[in-house]
Amino acid sequence: MSVEVEIPSSKTYSVLPKMGPDGGVEGEVLEVAMGPQHPSTHGVFRMDVVLDGETVVKLKPVFGYLHRNHEQIAESTSYLGSMPYTDRLDYFCSLTNNWAYALSVERLAGLQAPERAEYIRVITAELTRLVNHTCLAGFLLMDMGALGTPLMYAFREREKILDLFEALTGARMMCNYMRFGGCRVDLPAGWLEQARKIVAEFPRFLDEYENLLTTNEILLARTQNVGVLPRELAINASITGPMLRASGIDYDLRKVDKYGIYERFDFRVPLGDHGDVYDRYMIRILECRESLKILNKALADIPAGPIIDPKAKIRGFRPKAGEAYGRIEAPKGELGFYLISDGGPNPYRYHVRAPSFINLTILEDMCLGHTVADVVVILGSVDIVLGEVDR
């Protein structure tokens, strides 16, 4: 039997009996509904947490508050008409969302992006990775209580890259830029020079960030040996992206699938040793440095030429009947689109393999035995966006 206690903050706390191994009552545990709330870091999200004192003994993620019927809308919309909807999945990373969807349709329709378009896709995707990973570090520190400097430093650099996106696509976040067989428009005059300048200055920011954070004793105390994700669980739960690599698994779709033109770039895949929150933080910082290597090479080698396959059609686009799955290494992990065509103007079946959703499924496993304060930090290290979780 539980006792409901209404708290002025509108959260509900339930006091439950704690059962011993022999079936007898040994005390009480507290069930806490954390959320739903929108702190503008992760989205509208709730956790039902059962606490023995301050120790987590059970945790259930509760989501769906941001569900928008994305997949069903796409099945009644033209293929191209769904491109802007992909922007709203991981709204920090609209350009990588665009690319994953475009890649799937290209495989369905037999289209191939020209050389210049492939370079533009790599450049915009790696700039997006810089935005995502630096902001994740800022949000993670904010979850720990550092409310100002780290996040503002990250947003300062993010603004420079969003200015590039705006100059190229006309929008800062909802870019709607990729097209089947290429890109919507070519790079404007002066864009490459500005991008090269931002990329050249970015290592200085990373150095400042690491000097501020990486050896900070509070960060070390709050993240090391906290929220450990074992290798076996990461593999069995289909975890991907920085979460998986922080647990020591060498798996990056840019190396595995070599989609686009990634086989032309020399970069390494950073791996963690412990799979804790600290490793997940460090992997993102190290991946930023590898993205800079890719960007320097791509910005130096980008050729002239067309930006879209001449066989690509906008009006009357009807891929032949069949199915395709296109996936990329998005900043949060494997982002894939599964499409079935019946030869009509819109997909018969449209499904999104969203990394935020799948990476969130092991939240309880990482939180058990930790304090409620650690839960907030562990959630921050997963790097979720509810637009992608709920869809």
mmCIF file of all heavy atoms in Angstrom, residues 4 22 77 107 113 143 192 194 224 252 292:
data_model
loop_
_atom_site.group_PDB
_atom_site.id
_atom_site.type_symbol
_atom_site.label_atom_id
_atom_site.label_comp_id
_atom_site.label_asym_id
_atom_site.label_seq_id
_atom_site.Cartn_x
_atom_site.Cartn_y
_atom_site.Cartn_z
ATOM 1 N N GLU A 4 0.224 8.639 -1.039
ATOM 2 C CA GLU A 4 0.505 9.714 -1.984
ATOM 3 C C GLU A 4 0.656 11.030 -1.222
ATOM 4 O O GLU A 4 -0.176 11.375 -0.384
ATOM 5 C CB GLU A 4 -0.638 9.851 -3.002
ATOM 6 C CG GLU A 4 -0.888 8.599 -3.832
ATOM 7 C CD GLU A 4 0.194 8.374 -4.864
ATOM 8 O OE1 GLU A 4 0.936 9.324 -5.145
ATOM 9 O OE2 GLU A 4 0.295 7.247 -5.385
ATOM 10 N N ASP A 22 12.927 -12.400 2.864
ATOM 11 C CA ASP A 22 12.010 -13.393 3.408
ATOM 12 C C ASP A 22 10.544 -12.986 3.219
ATOM 13 O O ASP A 22 9.629 -13.644 3.735
ATOM 14 C CB ASP A 22 12.287 -13.601 4.903
ATOM 15 C CG ASP A 22 12.146 -12.301 5.699
ATOM 16 O OD1 ASP A 22 11.981 -11.227 5.060
ATOM 17 O OD2 ASP A 22 12.217 -12.361 6.943
ATOM 18 N N THR A 77 2.845 11.326 -47.304
ATOM 19 C CA THR A 77 3.470 12.517 -47.860
ATOM 20 C C THR A 77 4.449 12.089 -48.944
ATOM 21 O O THR A 77 4.982 10.981 -48.903
ATOM 22 C CB THR A 77 4.226 13.299 -46.763
ATOM 23 O OG1 THR A 77 3.324 13.595 -45.691
ATOM 24 C CG2 THR A 77 4.812 14.593 -47.276
ATOM 25 N N ARG A 107 19.350 4.909 -52.408
ATOM 26 C CA ARG A 107 19.504 3.468 -52.598
ATOM 27 C C ARG A 107 18.233 2.848 -53.172
ATOM 28 O O ARG A 107 18.288 1.903 -53.967
ATOM 29 C CB ARG A 107 19.875 2.808 -51.272
ATOM 30 C CG ARG A 107 21.281 3.170 -50.816
ATOM 31 C CD ARG A 107 21.655 2.538 -49.498
ATOM 32 N NE ARG A 107 23.037 2.868 -49.162
ATOM 33 C CZ ARG A 107 23.637 2.541 -48.019
ATOM 34 N NH1 ARG A 107 22.965 1.877 -47.084
ATOM 35 N NH2 ARG A 107 24.892 2.869 -47.796
ATOM 36 N N ALA A 113 24.966 10.817 -55.711
ATOM 37 C CA ALA A 113 25.337 12.227 -55.592
ATOM 38 C C ALA A 113 26.658 12.491 -56.299
ATOM 39 O O ALA A 113 27.588 11.672 -56.224
ATOM 40 C CB ALA A 113 25.441 12.617 -54.117
ATOM 41 N N ASP A 143 24.241 20.090 -16.121
ATOM 42 C CA ASP A 143 23.553 19.085 -15.298
ATOM 43 C C ASP A 143 24.267 18.870 -13.966
ATOM 44 O O ASP A 143 23.637 18.480 -12.980
ATOM 45 C CB ASP A 143 23.462 17.754 -16.051
ATOM 46 C CG ASP A 143 22.453 17.803 -17.193
ATOM 47 O OD1 ASP A 143 21.576 18.684 -17.151
ATOM 48 O OD2 ASP A 143 22.546 16.966 -18.108
ATOM 49 N N LEU A 192 33.472 28.803 -48.329
ATOM 50 C CA LEU A 192 34.594 27.912 -48.027
ATOM 51 C C LEU A 192 35.666 28.634 -47.217
ATOM 52 O O LEU A 192 36.235 28.059 -46.273
ATOM 53 C CB LEU A 192 35.201 27.361 -49.318
ATOM 54 C CG LEU A 192 34.416 26.244 -50.014
ATOM 55 C CD1 LEU A 192 35.057 25.901 -51.345
ATOM 56 C CD2 LEU A 192 34.356 25.002 -49.126
ATOM 57 N N GLN A 194 35.293 31.141 -45.137
ATOM 58 C CA GLN A 194 34.819 31.316 -43.771
ATOM 59 C C GLN A 194 34.856 30.003 -43.008
ATOM 60 O O GLN A 194 35.221 29.956 -41.825
ATOM 61 C CB GLN A 194 33.393 31.887 -43.779
ATOM 62 C CG GLN A 194 32.834 32.202 -42.409
ATOM 63 C CD GLN A 194 33.625 33.274 -41.667
ATOM 64 O OE1 GLN A 194 34.284 34.111 -42.298
ATOM 65 N NE2 GLN A 194 33.580 33.247 -40.348
ATOM 66 N N GLN A 224 33.870 9.892 -12.949
ATOM 67 C CA GLN A 224 34.656 8.657 -13.015
ATOM 68 C C GLN A 224 34.000 7.554 -12.194
ATOM 69 O O GLN A 224 33.583 7.763 -11.056
ATOM 70 C CB GLN A 224 36.090 8.907 -12.547
ATOM 71 C CG GLN A 224 36.880 9.745 -13.533
ATOM 72 C CD GLN A 224 38.343 9.870 -13.174
ATOM 73 O OE1 GLN A 224 38.726 9.827 -12.012
ATOM 74 N NE2 GLN A 224 39.181 10.052 -14.184
ATOM 75 N N ASP A 252 32.410 2.329 -35.926
ATOM 76 C CA ASP A 252 32.037 3.637 -36.449
ATOM 77 C C ASP A 252 31.624 3.425 -37.901
ATOM 78 O O ASP A 252 32.409 2.908 -38.709
ATOM 79 C CB ASP A 252 33.232 4.598 -36.358
ATOM 80 C CG ASP A 252 32.885 6.032 -36.742
ATOM 81 O OD1 ASP A 252 32.203 6.217 -37.768
ATOM 82 O OD2 ASP A 252 33.303 6.965 -36.029
ATOM 83 N N LEU A 292 37.931 17.591 -37.090
ATOM 84 C CA LEU A 292 38.723 18.689 -37.642
ATOM 85 C C LEU A 292 39.705 18.188 -38.701
ATOM 86 O O LEU A 292 39.943 18.864 -39.710
ATOM 87 C CB LEU A 292 39.463 19.418 -36.524
ATOM 88 C CG LEU A 292 38.578 20.202 -35.558
ATOM 89 C CD1 LEU A 292 39.389 20.723 -34.376
ATOM 90 C CD2 LEU A 292 37.879 21.367 -36.265
#
